[in-house]
Amino acid sequence: MAEYNSLQRSQSISKPPTAGDMLANRAFRVLTLVFTWSIVLLLAYILYKIGGRAIPAVKEYGLGMLVGTTWDVNARTFGILPEIWGTLYSSLLALILGGFFGVSIAIFLTQNFLPRILETILRSIIELLAAIPSVVYGLWGIFVLIPIIRPVADFFNTHFSWIPFFSTSLSGPGMFPAALVLSIMILPTVAAISQDAFRAIPHKITEAAYGMGTTRWEAILRVMLPTAAGGIFGALVLGLGRALGETMALAMLVGNSNQISLSVFAPANTLAALLALNFPEAGDTEISVLMFAACVLLLITLLVNMLGALIINKTGIKR
Amino acid sequence: MKRRIRTLCLYILVFSMLYCTSLWAAPQQTKQADLSGAGATFPAPLYQHWIKQFAESSPGFTISYDEVGSGEGIKRFLAGKVDFGASDTAMSDTEAQGAKHGVQFVPATAGTVVLAYNLPGVDQPLRLSREVYVDIFLGVIKMWNDPRIVALNPESKLPSLNITTVTRADSSGTTWAFSNHLKAISPRWHDAGFTAAKKMNWPGNAMAVNYNEGVANRIRHSWGAIGYVEYGVAKRTGLAMAELENKAGHFVVPSVTSGMAALANNAGELPDNLRMFFPDPIGQDSYPIITYTWLLLPKTNLSPQQGERIKKFVDWCLRDGQKYAEQFDYIPLPEAVSIKARQAVQQVR
């Protein structure tokens, strides 16, 4: 208390907090606490609501729905295996493409290949990709991308049709254009977090590598990449999480075809696209089934995101 | 920290924008037409034109029509959300039992369903026999250069593309008309476990899209695609349409003329409920896939004002509206059918 009084009397600029400051501080803390918890509650509420609507379907169809392949409203048979397959397949394809380019971009932008100012500009442009609406990606895919990749697809289909991945011709909407657009959509996520991972490498390690006489590429591939591997892996998992839940662009590009095909040119379907297509006029039973599908999608995405967060945490990258 | 602040600003911006949009959209939603209908997309272009023309010739009340597909139209009609429904299947008897105030089917116009396709490099119209197009939609014929298709189209150079069928994802009267036709022309359809339905689990390499316009657009963007779609929509989208083999064994070009021929050859006497299908029309020059499309009116329990409105509008459609049908590629009702339909409308109370 004596100290407090002496502070009050002192002539320095540091002053004790006034009652107003204390109140503002307290109010702010309460407010943030409420907001933080309301996010947790919101998630719980969403799960409760969706799960609640899904219960009739879970009771009636159970886990059989996860392995069924027909979706027939008249026969009341519902299976979402083709959609689960399509979701995972498109996301993995997108991850391979987007991951490769994302990590390459991260290397290019962090390893002094470019002047600092150019690096900043390029980085902003790549981050801008994340701001483009999904439906614009979808339209771009239909009107620009598909005509461009059609000759490529035709070439692979004509010459390599014995490989199951190229066994059908590309009609238009299909797995490959969808995965390609998806890979562009996850690119900003992957590139940004990978860049953080490369930046987090202590300068000493780089110096040590060069000190031992490595060339630039040896340093990047043998030293930097393994050191940043944890963070890059986390970036990939977060990108995968984003790809799994993407809806609009996929609903427009994937072809909405209820089949399981290895061919990347065949039309397919994803869980999110199934929900988007069938919700507008679903009957009671179908809504329950769709909610079940939504739960499955939520669960897959949640697991992937948690895994990503865990990896980033363990490897100690500061975002 | 900087990034977080930026994100926060962005969120605030987005939410304020959303809020503004919802404020702006809200008053529009509350404004309702005096007479509201919903249903089939199949005859929608004609219905919208009727509504416009009717409003000009007899002002006094506004009419709205939501193009949501036959299935949803029936659902909204049964739930009492609209004053009239519209469906290409009328209603099944079980569905009709669910109507609290009864239902009067009124055939409003007729139309043809065509098989539209996208085959680059094929200029000659494609000819498809009855067996072949059943097998295409069953997923049995998988390639465009299948010998059975080549045999029917010797002058065309068919590409080695996979066949992708384009079908309706929503509950649709067009699907019903087409599957009812397939069921009638081939036992294979039934043997494969399929029947006539508004919504189907299509076999093979089938894409599913919402609405007639959606199917037409999907075909336009997909090489090697073939799908069933209403004639006018296919025509306006600029799609090629296949010549189909009819019951008499002739290949018929889809057109209003061949549709009118089919209707003239098969219209006969309408049953009392005015519901009649032509799954496989007879006649040399009849186009094989044709259907009436119906307005669904509640039989009783209308307020006198709403009753008068509905009667006035529907009677106008059946009398003066018919002359617009051809312009929109539909088939005007034969006189006998139109008279019977107008009598039925007057029964509505």
Side-chain angles (χ1 to χ4, degrees), chain B residues 176-332:
Chain B
W176 198 91
F178 184 54
S179 55
N180 195 28
H181 169 70
L182 294 180
K183 185 180 127 191
I185 64 169
S186 169
R188 292 176 57 89
W189 187 250
H190 185 262
D191 294 343
F194 295 100
T195 174
K198 287 200 282 288
K199 193 168 178 175
M200 302 231 337
N201 170 39
W202 292 93
N205 203 16
M207 300 203 227
V209 195
N210 277 337
Y211 310 140
N212 261 305
E213 303 280 350
V215 172
N217 277 318
R218 178 58 64 85
I219 295 171
R220 195 170 60 163
H221 294 298
S222 310
W223 289 11
I226 183 168
Y228 57 92
V229 57
E230 191 269 320
Y231 171 65
V233 172
K235 196 174 151 192
R236 280 190 296 281
T237 316
L239 298 174
M241 298 170 235
E243 293 176 11
L244 301 185
E245 185 188 0
N246 67 11
K247 193 167 192 175
H250 292 269
F251 288 88
V252 184
V253 182
S255 69
V256 174
T257 323
S258 60
M260 279 164 88
L263 207 57
N265 292 337
N266 296 273
E269 189 70 6
L270 269 180
D272 285 337
N273 65 4
L274 305 188
R275 187 180 63 193
M276 185 185 189
F277 303 111
F278 320 104
D280 193 13
I282 52 167
Q284 299 284 317
D285 46 358
S286 301
Y287 183 78
I289 320 173
I290 178 169
T291 179
Y292 280 131
T293 179
W294 287 267
L295 292 171
L296 314 171
L297 309 181
K299 258 188 177 152
T300 54
N301 202 39
L302 290 164
S303 69
Q305 193 193 21
Q306 282 304 75
E308 279 316 305
R309 281 172 173 172
I310 285 195
K311 276 187 208 172
K312 196 172 168 205
F313 172 61
V314 178
D315 190 70
W316 182 91
C317 295
L318 293 169
R319 209 186 286 271
D320 302 323
Q322 292 302 314
K323 66 171 177 278
Y324 299 109
E326 264 188 82
Q327 186 187 334
F328 284 84
D329 305 307
Y330 296 94
I331 303 157

Side-chain angles (χ1 to χ4, degrees), chain A residues 74 150 169 171 256-257 259 281, chain B residues 162 171 199 205-206 208 223:
Chain A
N74 306 314
R150 208 176 250 138
S169 60
S171 153
N256 322 103
S257 180
Q259 61 173 340
E281 57 163 40
Chain B
N162 282 85
S171 177
K199 193 168 178 175
N205 203 16
W223 289 11

Side-chain angles (χ1 to χ4, degrees), chain A residues 69-74 127 142-143 146 150 154 157 167-173 192 196 251-259 266-267 276-278 280-283 286 319, chain B residues 3-4 6 68-69 71-72 75 118 143 160-164 169-172 194-195 197-202 204-211 218 220-225:
Chain A
T69 53
T70 41
W71 183 282
D72 191 342
V73 183
N74 306 314
E127 278 175 18
I142 289 175
F143 289 102
I146 288 176
R150 208 176 250 138
D154 279 352
N157 178 231
S167 57
T168 63
S169 60
L170 178 72
S171 153
D196 289 349
M252 294 166 80
L253 283 169
V254 80
N256 322 103
S257 180
N258 193 36
Q259 61 173 340
L277 199 67
N278 285 301
E281 57 163 40
E286 215 182 347
R319 290 184 62 191
Chain B
R3 180 180 281 179
R4 277 193 199 153
R6 227 169 32 192
V68 287
E72 178 71 14
K75 222 161 93 180
N118 179 351
M143 298 294 289
S160 145
L161 279 175
N162 282 85
I163 297 178
T164 310
D170 53 331
S171 177
S172 141
F194 295 100
T195 174
K198 287 200 282 288
K199 193 168 178 175
M200 302 231 337
N201 170 39
W202 292 93
N205 203 16
M207 300 203 227
V209 195
N210 277 337
Y211 310 140
R218 178 58 64 85
R220 195 170 60 163
H221 294 298
S222 310
W223 289 11

Side-chain angles (χ1 to χ4, degrees), chain A residues 4 7 12 37 40 58 65 106 110 125 150 156 169 171 173 177 180 192 215 220 244-245 247 260 281 288 303:
Chain A
Y4 182 81
L7 262 176
S12 78
W37 276 105
V40 177
V58 177
M65 217 178 94
T110 54
I125 291 176
R150 208 176 250 138
F156 277 103
S169 60
S171 153
L180 214 54
T215 64
I220 289 172
L244 288 169
T247 311
I260 300 177
E281 57 163 40
S288 179
L303 282 177

Side-chain angles (χ1 to χ4, degrees), chain B residues 97-180:
Chain B
Q97 278 168 9
K100 266 177 286 180
H101 310 306
V103 55
Q104 176 65 55
F105 310 133
V106 181
T109 186
T112 50
V113 178
V114 301
L115 295 187
Y117 59 92
N118 179 351
L119 278 178
V122 177
D123 303 323
Q124 293 280 336
L126 201 65
R127 293 173 148 214
L128 297 175
S129 70
R130 295 154 84 85
E131 293 78 28
V132 165
Y133 66 79
V134 170
D135 277 354
I136 286 178
F137 278 88
L138 277 176
V140 176
I141 299 180
K142 293 183 193 309
M143 298 294 289
W144 277 111
N145 57 1
D146 188 280
R148 288 167 69 190
I149 305 180
V150 172
L152 288 165
N153 302 277
E155 67 281 4
S156 299
K157 196 178 170 300
L158 289 159
S160 145
L161 279 175
N162 282 85
I163 297 178
T164 310
T165 53
V166 184
T167 64
R168 285 282 287 272
D170 53 331
S171 177
S172 141
T174 316
T175 304
W176 198 91
F178 184 54
S179 55
N180 195 28

